[in-house]
Amino acid sequence: MEPQEDLVPTAIVEPPSALRWRTMLAVPFAAGIALTAHTFIANREPPLETHSYRLLFIEVIAVSILLALLRRFSPGLRRWMANMWPIFTAAIVSVCVWDIVTLGLRMLPLPYFPGPSAVLRSLINDRVLLLDSTWHSLVLLLSGYTLGVIGGLISGICIGWSSPIRYWGMPLLKVVGPIPATAWIPLTMVLSPSATVSSAALIALAVWFPVTMLTASGISNTRASYLDVARTLGAGRAYLIFHVAIPAAVPNIFIGLFMGLGASFLTLVVAESVGVKSGLGWYVSWAQGWAEYGKVFAALIIMAAFFSTIMTVLFKVRDRVLVWQKGVIKW
Amino acid sequence: MVAPAETEASSLVVREVRKSFPAPDNPLSRRQVLDGISFSLGAGELISLIGPSGCGKSTLLRLVAGLDSADSGDLLIGIEPITAPNAERGLVFQDPNLFPWLTVRRNIQAGLVARGVLHEKKNEVDEFMRLVGLEIFANVYPHHLSGGMAQRAALARALINHPKILLLDEPLGALDAFTRMRMQDEVLRLWQARRTTMLLVTHDIDEAIYMSDRIMIMTPRPGRIERTIPVELARPRQRDSGDFLRLRSDILKFLHFAGKS
């Protein structure tokens, strides 16, 4: 039966089944439909320049056919295709539906909801500014995030390890921490010399709270028997903190890092649209000011790719660092 | 011959030790857990401490390890009082407590790293991994190990510091019957090879008779050593020999009566 096909070791070249063919052809087929639909819609609207949109789908068809031919030579490629093609097909169909709903049927009000071809045009025409904005966002995000993580780790380790520090630090953390970082904007704008510095500080603050909280709880919940064993092995305080408590807390710390990352995205976009005169958040509000919603959507697409890439990088780092947990905990 | 100074240094003396904890139901009263415990342990001896659960065996072991302090009484190694945990007194729990974030090799060398002597003693790591037969698992993480292998790694980790006394808190309690018997021989082999003084807490009477030079029987509430029984059977011992079984039924009878009084 077909379901067993996936269990066959990939080194053996199996004859492509009917199921395989269907999956493989779904992408060029969907792209073809999207292309045809668009051609039909756009022909009723001659003044629209949608050359790049069509070119995109022609490229999709070409690449998917090329990959379909190349799949024989690479088991990795075949697995990747079997895994990803249904998703790609769904994405293409969604874009096609979006195209029909906006440009074709005009069901959504303009200029707020441009069609995909208009968004693609904005993306291409404004690529220099978009790239520049992405770069500024990246620099701001990374500097704020790094600062927040370092601060959060230090305060989290201190609070988690030392009970006097926990006594004095915890109330402060519990009162100040839950205030959303963006609520400090009025204050930081007054205090800080530049909007960029204050934004980095805000992002750091947003990251600091969850990282501190989770690090502290991870450290203070270190299994007592690990510490006992380490003591009987001759461990001093430095070993207990850096070789027992911190490694034991790393799974928790990563939860804090992920929560902090989410908070940093939010703070970044708000800070950029309020104070800083660059970055993707600024770009969105700027484009909105000119009612260029094609650009707004273009920036949202870039943001989605940008943020999810950063998230993926953190996932990879975690898998690397926590390789010892594989089999202990199901991710 | 063992030098006298070393004999003295390796011997443990416990004198009139008392320990109480706050009662869980009433925080104002304290419950006496250990009530005047006295015994001594000569260099190279292997002594078992048996008794029902809750009689204070583990508490006593923690005091000897230096992880807790007694309310009164003396705990001495030679003539030195025990004040804090020390690499000279190794401790192995029922749960191997291997650090899950370290490979087997790094777990075993943890004591050397903690004492900052890894550099000089690097070659000993291989020796101890061979000693417990885990060479080929050097780079494996603990969750891949079976219970017996994990406990062997824990033993090697404790032994690499060359402790004068090895404290074993029901180290084989979580293993299945066959693995447990194999591990008893393993521990005996390590004991005979290294002549480490061992204090073994167990609630398995057979294990106590099979392994130890002397058996101390504890009774609970408050914890006291009721009786010390020398085991004068020749090694290696037969688990089904007449003397073995007679001793076993004596101890069982004693525990039975002690439980009733």
Side-chain angles (χ1 to χ4, degrees):
Chain A
M1 284 306 291
E2 278 86 354
Q4 285 194 331
E5 202 87 323
D6 296 317
L7 299 175
V8 175
T10 39
I12 302 163
V13 180
E14 74 268 35
S17 68
L19 187 78
R20 268 279 146 69
W21 276 107
R22 212 164 62 200
T23 313
M24 222 161 48
L25 289 179
V27 169
F29 187 65
I33 290 178
L35 195 59
T36 318
H38 184 75
T39 310
F40 179 67
I41 294 163
N43 277 347
R44 300 190 324 192
E45 296 277 341
L48 276 173
E49 194 277 301
T50 58
H51 182 62
S52 47
Y53 183 74
R54 277 177 229 190
L55 201 63
L56 176 75
F57 279 112
I58 291 168
E59 276 166 13
V60 167
I61 293 171
V63 169
S64 62
I65 289 172
L66 187 67
L67 289 177
L69 294 174
L70 285 176
R71 82 188 187 287
R72 287 193 173 282
F73 306 106
S74 159
L77 178 65
R78 217 153 45 227
R79 235 173 304 136
W80 181 75
M81 282 170 75
N83 193 21
M84 296 307 294
W85 256 213
I87 298 282
F88 285 166
T89 310
I92 293 166
V93 170
S94 310
V95 171
C96 179
V97 169
W98 176 16
D99 197 24
I100 293 169
V101 168
T102 52
L103 195 62
L105 303 176
R106 301 210 174 282
M107 286 166 75
L108 295 170
L110 281 172
Y112 307 109
F113 296 98
S117 52
V119 172
L120 186 68
R121 209 164 53 232
S122 309
L123 203 60
I124 292 167
N125 291 344
D126 230 8
R127 62 185 178 277
V128 178
L129 188 54
L130 274 169
L131 200 69
D132 188 56
S133 301
T134 310
W135 171 247
H136 278 101
S137 286
L138 182 70
V139 170
L140 186 56
L141 183 76
L142 285 188
S143 50
Y145 187 72
T146 312
L147 206 66
V149 166
I150 293 171
L153 285 177
I154 293 172
S155 56
I157 291 165
C158 292
I159 290 174
W161 185 259
S162 142
S163 19
I165 297 179
R166 180 163 45 242
Y167 178 82
W168 296 108
M170 213 49 173
L172 184 74
L173 191 67
K174 278 186 179 157
V175 171
V176 176
I179 301 174
T182 48
W184 296 99
I185 285 178
L187 220 65
T188 50
M189 292 300 159
V190 176
L191 286 174
S192 157
S194 88
T196 314
V197 171
S198 66
S199 301
L202 279 178
I203 294 168
L205 185 68
V207 175
W208 169 81
F209 174 58
V211 173
T212 304
M213 219 47 182
L214 271 296
T215 304
S217 90
I219 297 274
S220 60
N221 287 323
T222 306
R223 249 165 78 173
S225 53
Y226 289 153
L227 296 169
D228 285 347
V229 163
R231 281 197 193 99
T232 61
L233 291 174
R237 194 161 65 166
Y239 188 92
L240 292 179
I241 295 175
F242 291 103
H243 291 257
V244 182
I246 292 177
V250 164
N252 255 335
I253 291 174
F254 266 101
I255 297 173
L257 292 181
F258 278 107
M259 288 169 65
L261 196 59
S264 74
F265 293 159
L266 180 72
T267 314
L268 174 78
V269 172
V270 174
E272 278 178 345
S273 51
V274 175
V276 192
K277 291 281 169 284
S278 63
L280 288 169
W282 164 81
Y283 184 94
V284 168
S285 52
W286 172 77
Q288 190 215 359
W290 292 102
E292 295 204 59
Y293 283 85
K295 291 184 175 178
V296 171
F297 278 88
L300 288 177
I301 289 170
I302 297 285
M303 264 188 216
F306 176 56
F307 291 154
S308 67
T309 305
I310 292 175
M311 206 57 127
T312 308
V313 169
L314 190 57
F315 268 108
K316 294 266 184 236
V317 171
R318 183 202 59 182
D319 289 348
R320 241 302 74 121
V321 174
L322 290 182
V323 65
W324 56 269
Q325 267 202 330
K326 283 254 172 74
V328 179
I329 288 168
K330 269 265 174 281
W331 290 112
Chain B
M1 270 304 286
V2 186
E6 205 185 315
T7 311
E8 192 165 86
S10 311
S11 65
L12 167 72
V13 177
V14 176
R15 212 182 290 141
E16 283 299 314
V17 162
R18 281 166 217 281
K19 176 78 182 171
S20 63
F21 287 111
D25 44 347
N26 177 7
L28 293 175
S29 74
R30 294 181 75 81
R31 209 179 63 196
Q32 198 70 26
V33 179
L34 298 177
D35 187 23
I37 300 277
S38 297
F39 69 93
S40 64
L41 191 55
E45 251 192 318
L46 199 170
I47 293 193
S48 290
L49 197 55
I50 66 171
S53 29
C55 70
K57 297 174 301 217
S58 296
T59 306
L60 180 57
L61 218 57
R62 287 181 67 84
L63 294 182
V64 176
L67 292 169
D68 283 324
S69 53
D71 297 343
S72 66
D74 301 314
L75 291 128
L76 308 166
I77 295 289
I79 50 167
E80 290 285 309
I82 294 169
T83 52
N86 189 305
E88 290 186 349
R89 294 183 304 279
L91 180 56
V92 176
F93 293 98
Q94 176 172 344
D95 186 311
N97 278 312
L98 295 175
F99 301 134
W101 54 87
L102 296 181
T103 59
V104 169
R105 185 189 183 86
R106 286 171 178 277
N107 260 289
I108 290 176
Q109 69 189 24
L112 302 181
V113 176
R115 294 187 297 135
V117 294
L118 178 66
H119 201 64
E120 299 102 273
K121 306 205 169 177
K122 191 120 203 165
N123 52 330
E124 287 194 14
V125 181
D126 293 301
E127 184 195 319
F128 277 87
M129 284 202 300
R130 255 198 314 279
L131 189 71
V132 293
L134 287 173
E135 313 94 298
I136 58 164
F137 295 98
N139 298 317
V140 159
Y141 284 98
H143 68 261
H144 290 296
L145 298 181
S146 70
M149 287 198 285
Q151 201 54 280
R152 290 213 302 271
L155 281 167
R157 180 174 64 172
L159 286 171
I160 203 164
N161 278 334
H162 300 282
K164 288 176 178 154
I165 299 180
L166 187 60
L167 307 166
L168 303 159
D169 191 356
E170 298 185 22
L172 313 179
L175 305 178
D176 64 85
F178 295 106
T179 314
R180 183 191 294 211
M181 283 199 274
R182 259 211 330 275
M183 286 295 290
Q184 287 168 357
D185 289 324
E186 187 94 2
V187 173
L188 283 178
R189 187 174 62 78
L190 293 173
W191 173 64
Q192 276 157 351
R194 311 196 49 78
R195 300 310 300 181
T196 308
T197 311
M198 290 191 184
L199 181 53
L200 169 71
V201 163
T202 177
H203 50 216
D204 180 341
I205 296 171
D206 289 27
E207 183 170 285
I209 300 171
Y210 185 70
M211 296 185 67
S212 40
D213 296 326
R214 274 189 290 153
I215 300 174
M216 297 188 291
I217 301 175
M218 273 184 89
T219 52
R221 276 177 281 276
R224 286 202 185 98
I225 293 177
E226 283 298 324
R227 219 173 127 185
T228 303
I229 300 169
V231 184
E232 279 151 354
L233 307 174
R235 295 177 191 271
R237 291 171 181 162
Q238 300 298 316
R239 295 173 200 269
D240 53 357
S241 74
D243 290 335
F244 194 104
L245 295 174
R246 243 189 316 282
L247 194 55
R248 185 172 187 272
S249 81
D250 282 352
I251 294 172
L252 267 175
K253 240 179 256 160
F254 180 82
L255 279 172
H256 186 65
F257 287 125
K260 272 192 176 163
S261 65

